[in-house]
Amino acid sequence: MTLTPVPHLAVIVVAAGSGTRLRGGAPKAFVGLDARSILHHALRGVFCAPAAQVVVVVPEGYEGDATTDALDAAGDRGELVTVVTGGATRQQSVAAGLTALWGDVDTVLVHDAARALTPAAVFERVVAALDDGAVAVIPVLPVVDTIKRVDGAGRVVAAVDRSELAAAQTPQGFRRSVLEAAVASADADHTDDAALVAAAGHPVVTVEGDARAFKVTTAPDLERARSLVTAAPEVEAAPTPATGIPRVGLGTDVHGFGGDGTLWLAGLEWPGEQALSGHSDGDAVAHAIVDALLAAAGLGDIGTHFGTDRPEFAGAHATAFLTHTVGLLAAAGWRVGNVAVQVQANRPRFAARRVEAEQALSRALGGAPVSVSATTTDGLGFTGRTEGVAAFATALVVPA
Ligand SMILES: Nc1ccn([C@@H]2O[C@H](COP(=O)(O)OP(=O)(O)OP(=O)(O)O)[C@@H](O)[C@H]2O)c(=O)n1
Ligand SMILES: C[C@](O)(CO)[C@H](O)COP(=O)(O)O
């Protein structure tokens, strides 16, 4: 998704850090997440913002690599890209980026390349606050851990009230004149641009950040980013949840009788009933729900994530499928609203276990409501001949 271009908006992507805490064997922005670098992933997000210019600030000697990444990520917007050499500190790199801005730019977002998986919605919120008249805007997340002040010997000195704290992310947005003046008059090195602007006496407002905008700082952060993009590349390409707007999806599945063991259907074991065949346990109800949820979130379909090339799902039951799907949704910023599923089958008879099935499926979906209905087809078709089971599901997902 690309927002409507804002003519006078530029994004400065600071990527000139060395990544000493990561120790990735190259400057951090040039370490790979998958086949592409951290910088490439960050720029893909940046090009969802309505920028008229994108300035990429990189370590000396990496200008060529950065240009290749930037032009690839830019697609047909390559003319917007300027690559410049950064400085010894982040603040100096921001200053270098500012010198490259075109004359008509009046609004600037500064974004860490290291926050490579920042969703477009965060850019949207920052731009919207600037449009509403703010001179400086930062995305923040609440601090979730209990915080202590400690002395040099590691002893606790005091508890800190975390309700007064927020963790700062990027992109941070500013009126250009305000940021330029703050950089020019800075008498200290600050770790973020908001601190610089606040030190110059300007109010800084906050908007909601996003857990996916985490900064790749240490090796575990890199692991997390890699697992997000390699385990579920579609997560990155999936539509970013538009604030407050839910989406619906549809899924169907069919399995024939003839499997080994007992029947598993709708997350329940059915002793004495003939099993369905399939790579997993043949639970057509669970699979239809997975398809409906993935479709709603724009994450492909069951074959994308649970194909026969995934041995861990051989023989797996509904809980494995549904909990994995909930995880994929969460990584893409969605949670399950509700699910309704209909089973067409002569056997098993659902009436006595319908509520039990709803509860089992709901548990596997983290508590989201699930409605199960069952019907026969008056002897028509393959379900009418008791050759198999068909299931049809609809799902609603809502921004997490
Ligand atoms: N001289 C610098 C230092 C940092 N950055 C950028 O600022 C962002 C946030 O910095 P940080 O995560 O601290 O990156 P590094 O400085 O590379 O990491 P470290 O402190 O571990 O060396 C990163 O995108 C980084 O590339 C920069 O452009 N120029
Ligand atoms: C700009 C920043 O990402 C906001 O959280 C941060 O300040 C970068 O520097 P840090 O030293 O890694 O916190």
Side-chain angles (χ1 to χ4, degrees):
M1 177 185 61
T2 303
L3 306 175
T4 314
V6 175
H8 307 296
L9 175 76
V11 183
I12 297 175
V13 182
V14 283
S18 53
T20 46
R21 289 170 286 183
L22 181 65
R23 293 198 197 95
K28 183 160 67 186
F30 297 88
V31 171
L33 282 191
D34 46 13
R36 293 166 300 190
S37 66
I38 287 177
L39 176 62
H40 193 293
H41 281 272
L43 288 170
R44 276 159 50 103
V46 165
F47 276 101
C48 293
Q53 186 186 9
V54 174
V55 179
V56 188
V57 189
V58 298
E60 192 170 2
Y62 283 83
E63 295 83 353
D65 291 347
T67 303
T68 306
D69 273 354
L71 293 180
D72 194 48
D76 61 3
R77 299 165 76 202
E79 76 284 0
L80 308 188
V81 175
T82 310
V83 175
V84 300
T85 310
T89 65
R90 186 182 181 283
Q91 192 165 306
Q92 287 170 17
S93 293
V94 172
L98 286 171
T99 63
L101 292 182
W102 293 334
D104 59 350
V105 166
D106 61 18
T107 308
V108 183
L109 306 188
V110 182
H111 185 48
D112 291 345
R115 297 184 186 272
L117 303 183
T118 303
V122 182
F123 287 85
E124 269 181 67
R125 290 195 280 272
V126 172
V127 170
L130 290 166
D131 284 348
D132 283 350
V135 297
V137 183
I138 64 169
V140 295
L141 283 183
V143 172
V144 292
D145 290 315
T146 293
I147 303 292
K148 306 289 184 196
R149 180 166 294 115
V150 293
D151 65 16
R155 281 185 299 256
V156 173
V157 176
V160 179
D161 179 4
R162 70 179 168 207
S163 67
E164 295 179 348
L165 302 178
Q169 299 185 321
T170 70
Q172 302 193 347
F174 307 92
R175 295 279 151 244
R176 173 183 181 168
S177 54
V178 166
L179 182 58
E180 280 182 334
V183 168
S185 62
D187 56 6
D189 195 62
H190 298 279
T191 57
D192 77 346
D193 318 295
L196 196 64
V197 164
H202 297 283
V204 178
V205 302
T206 64
V207 294
E208 188 188 348
D210 191 295
R212 288 164 294 169
F214 69 93
K215 184 155 72 65
V216 176
T217 304
T218 60
D221 299 327
L222 183 63
E223 281 301 299
R224 181 178 166 202
R226 281 180 172 162
S227 68
L228 281 171
V229 299
T230 56
E234 306 75 15
V235 164
E236 224 198 335
T240 301
T243 309
I245 301 180
R247 288 170 50 120
V248 295
L250 181 66
T252 68
D253 195 33
V254 166
H255 280 275
F257 289 115
D260 296 328
T262 51
L263 173 70
W264 281 85
L265 192 62
L268 301 179
E269 188 174 13
W270 300 77
E273 295 282 353
Q274 198 186 357
L276 291 163
S277 61
H279 172 63
S280 61
D281 63 355
D283 188 334
V285 170
H287 300 175
I289 293 174
V290 168
D291 256 348
L293 288 167
L294 293 174
L299 290 171
D301 61 22
I302 195 163
T304 319
H305 303 278
F306 302 90
T308 47
D309 57 335
R310 300 287 301 268
E312 66 271 35
F313 292 110
H317 296 310
T319 307
F321 278 78
L322 296 175
T323 52
H324 187 67
T325 303
V326 169
L328 291 169
L329 260 58
W334 299 100
R335 67 181 169 80
V336 184
N338 77 300
V339 167
V341 60
Q342 186 183 57
V343 198
Q344 281 186 3
N346 284 351
R347 298 211 59 82
R349 308 300 292 181
F350 261 79
R353 300 191 71 190
R354 196 176 53 75
V355 172
E356 194 188 343
E358 288 175 341
Q359 288 169 348
L361 294 167
S362 171
R363 258 195 316 277
L365 291 175
V370 177
S371 314
V372 176
S373 57
T375 188
T376 58
T377 57
D378 273 349
L380 299 173
F382 71 92
T383 58
R385 293 190 296 273
T386 320
E387 292 169 4
V389 165
F392 308 88
T394 58
L396 181 81
V397 298
V398 293

